[in-house]
Amino acid sequence: MSRVAFRDLLFERSIAAFDRGGRRSGEPVFHDRSFLEAIAYSVIIGASVPESMVRAAQLRRFASPVFVCAPWREIFEHDAERTHGFDFACQDYAANVSVYRAYGYELVDVPQVCVEERARFVIEHLEKQSLL
């Protein structure tokens, strides 16, 4: 699969996941990846972003804040699921952060602590903002 085809598939599936998640009114929905990350991937691979993607991303909005997790060398694994290296993960993270900000999102960095503490951080942040 070409990199552009991968980008297009990521975008299409992320849009579908967003649209399905929107039907659960009143319940928070968390997305691991998003259509904005497909746009960021375009920057990484040097591909132009189709206007249809820009419009679709502008019409769909995630609630702010968006929680982001920076690459963490100590837990990073290169395996069959994650075929890219740590340097690419850092490049991908920087591109994602840039695109989220360009689309007007408030970003909150999740601290690099154990899973339970990360979950507690997110829950407490959302409770303080009355989002849970």
Side-chain angles (χ1 to χ4, degrees):
M1 173 182 299
S2 75
R3 295 184 305 173
V4 170
F6 172 78
R7 186 264 328 258
D8 293 348
L9 184 61
L10 173 62
F11 189 85
E12 177 186 312
R13 289 185 177 176
S14 297
I15 288 288
F18 180 90
D19 290 347
R20 278 191 313 274
R23 290 187 218 140
R24 298 183 189 123
S25 65
E27 296 179 17
V29 176
F30 291 87
H31 295 266
D32 181 38
R33 303 294 295 203
S34 86
F35 46 84
L36 292 170
E37 294 178 41
I39 291 172
Y41 185 65
S42 297
V43 174
I44 292 171
I45 64 173
S48 61
V49 179
E51 186 58 35
S52 60
M53 284 187 180
V54 172
R55 279 193 311 275
Q58 290 170 334
L59 292 173
R60 292 164 177 87
R61 297 289 300 173
F62 293 102
S64 273
V66 170
F67 294 94
V68 294
C69 299
W72 187 359
R73 188 174 295 278
E74 288 76 19
I75 67 168
F76 184 85
E77 290 188 27
H78 182 261
D79 56 25
E81 292 294 318
R82 182 175 284 129
T83 58
H84 60 267
F86 187 76
D87 290 342
F88 179 84
C90 292
Q91 182 183 13
D92 187 50
Y93 172 77
N96 289 334
V97 165
S98 179
V99 167
Y100 276 101
R101 285 187 178 136
Y103 277 78
Y105 287 95
E106 171 196 349
L107 302 180
V108 173
D109 292 308
V110 176
Q112 294 181 339
V113 293
C114 70
V115 172
E116 293 79 12
E117 289 180 44
R118 283 182 271 165
R120 187 173 18 253
F121 173 85
V122 170
I123 290 167
E124 287 174 359
H125 194 89
L126 293 173
E127 285 175 342
K128 284 179 190 172
Q129 295 190 353
S130 301
L131 297 173
L132 275 184

